[in-house]
Amino acid sequence: PIMWGTLAGVGVAAFYLIIRYRLSRGLAALILTVGSTAAITGIFALTRLPVTSYAAVAMPILALIGLILAIVFANKDRETFLEDKNHDNSIEHRNAIMVKSTGLAFYPALIIAILSLYIAVDFFGFGATGYSWLFMILGIGILAITAVTTVLYGPLSQFFFKLFSKVNLAKFTSKKKKKK
C-alpha cells in the first residue's frame, strides 16, 4: 500500500509538473523520481537485510526529496529560458541553456540535500537503535537521488525536448481544416 500511495502521489505531482513546466521537463522529473526511488528501495530489498519495512517507510520521503530536487532544476531551467533575450527555441540553444541552468540549480539542490541529511541525522541518526537502518537508507537514498537528479535531469529533459520537437502539429491542424 505504501508503494501504490507513493506512486499515486508522484503521479499527481508529475501531472502538475507537466502542466507547469512543459512536457519534457515534467516527464524527466517523473522518470527520475520514480526510477531513483524504486532503484534505491529495490537495492535494499534485494540485500536480504532486515530493512524491507524500513525501505518501505523511506520510499515516500525519498520520492518527496526527488520531486523537490526536480522542481528546483525545472524551475531554474524555465527561468533561464524565459530570461534569455534570443528567444531561440532550437535544440542547440536549448542545450546551452540547459547547461547554464543545471549549473545555477546545483547549489540550491546541494543545500536541499544537506538539509535533508541533517534532518535525517536529527530524527533517526541519534534515535533508537531500531531507527539506524532507516537513517542509513535515507542517507544513502538522499545522496543517490541528488547525484542522479543532478547528472541526469538535463540530458533526459533535452532528450524529451528533441523527441517532441520532431512532432509537427501543423500537419494535424491542416488536415482538420481540409476536412471542413
Side-chain angles (χ1 to χ4, degrees):
I2 293 173
M3 180 184 71
W4 293 114
T6 303
L7 283 175
V10 168
V12 169
F15 181 70
Y16 168 74
L17 291 176
I18 288 172
I19 292 172
R20 172 112 173 117
Y21 296 113
R22 298 179 73 193
L23 186 61
S24 61
R25 296 178 194 126
L27 283 178
L30 172 69
I31 289 173
L32 285 176
T33 303
V34 170
S36 59
T37 305
I40 292 164
T41 306
I43 287 170
F44 281 109
L46 289 175
T47 59
R48 300 199 184 253
L49 295 171
V51 297
T52 306
S53 60
Y54 294 116
V57 170
M59 188 181 356
I61 298 168
L62 293 175
L64 177 67
I65 293 169
L67 279 172
I68 290 171
L69 291 173
I71 288 171
V72 166
F73 280 95
N75 193 33
K76 191 56 76 172
D77 180 33
R78 182 174 173 259
E79 285 177 3
T80 308
F81 183 72
L82 291 175
E83 289 173 358
D84 186 41
K85 303 292 184 207
N86 291 340
H87 301 293
D88 183 15
N89 206 17
S90 67
I91 294 173
E92 294 81 18
H93 188 67
R94 288 291 300 246
N95 282 335
I97 288 176
M98 181 59 66
V99 169
K100 181 179 177 184
S101 66
T102 301
L104 291 173
F106 176 73
Y107 290 111
L110 187 64
I111 290 170
I112 289 170
I114 290 171
L115 287 175
S116 300
L117 282 171
Y118 175 73
I119 291 170
V121 167
D122 279 352
F123 285 110
F124 304 113
F126 295 119
T129 310
Y131 291 130
S132 62
W133 285 107
L134 186 59
F135 165 68
M136 182 189 70
I137 292 170
L138 284 174
I140 292 171
I142 289 168
L143 292 175
I145 284 177
T146 303
V148 166
T149 305
T150 302
V151 171
L152 293 180
Y153 178 80
L156 192 59
S157 177
Q158 286 304 104
F159 168 75
F160 285 126
F161 179 75
K162 288 178 190 175
L163 186 69
F164 297 135
S165 66
K166 293 178 183 177
V167 176
N168 188 1
L169 295 177
K171 285 188 214 178
F172 297 113
T173 57
S174 65
K175 286 181 183 179
K176 288 181 182 178
K177 288 179 181 178
K178 288 180 182 178
K179 287 181 181 180
K180 290 181 180 180

